[in-house]
Amino acid sequence: MSFANPLNLSRDEVICYLKREGPQSGPVLVSLNGERRLLGDSLLTLAELSDDERLLTLHYPFGQLRIRGDQLGKLFEDARRGRLGEVRECGGPARSEGLWVDRFEWGFPIEQDDLASVVKDATREFGRLQ
């Protein structure tokens, strides 16, 4: 299996978002270094998009994730419908047209073991509130 490095592609060839096609349980977030994180759709409590569509904030019981980029409206709409797909951190300045994900800003633990325990605790607590 080979991977295409965004640095070896023209800016127009880089894909920052893949719409969800399968039955996965939440969005997959891929960092610049290739690390992948899955967040459950059922835990998303609120999605907010800035007026200029350059900041998308996803709120969870255990914290928030800020996605910075350009033309993030499509991500916002899919998040609101519980259908957010694979979001890839592409870095650098945005291209002239189309959706672009510059970076993620994590407002909760991102180490897989830490995140798993936080999600488990939040799920248990969220279940009590319903």
Side-chain angles (χ1 to χ4, degrees), residues 63-75:
Q64 30 178 270
L65 167 65
R66 289 183 187 89
I67 300 175
R68 295 199 178 269
D70 201 46
Q71 299 183 28
L72 300 175
K74 176 66 177 149
L75 298 181

Side-chain angles (χ1 to χ4, degrees), residues 44-113:
L44 180 65
T45 58
L46 177 67
E48 295 178 291
L49 181 66
S50 64
D51 289 338
D52 62 3
E53 294 191 8
R54 297 184 59 131
L55 174 63
L56 173 63
T57 305
L58 304 176
H59 297 266
Y60 295 91
F62 44 85
Q64 30 178 270
L65 167 65
R66 289 183 187 89
I67 300 175
R68 295 199 178 269
D70 201 46
Q71 299 183 28
L72 300 175
K74 176 66 177 149
L75 298 181
F76 174 70
E77 291 302 321
D78 284 356
R80 284 187 33 205
R81 290 195 318 267
R83 299 292 302 158
L84 192 58
E86 184 174 302
V87 182
R88 298 175 180 172
E89 197 174 40
C90 294
R95 58 179 153 227
S96 59
E97 292 193 27
L99 184 145
W100 187 262
V101 176
D102 178 32
R103 69 182 181 274
F104 302 138
E105 295 174 358
W106 301 92
F108 47 85
I110 61 170
E111 294 301 320
Q112 195 63 44
D113 293 340

Side-chain angles (χ1 to χ4, degrees), residues 42-45 61 122-130:
S42 63
L43 296 175
L44 180 65
T45 58
T123 302
R124 185 174 45 247
E125 192 63 34
F126 192 65
R128 282 189 208 147
L129 298 175
Q130 291 184 343

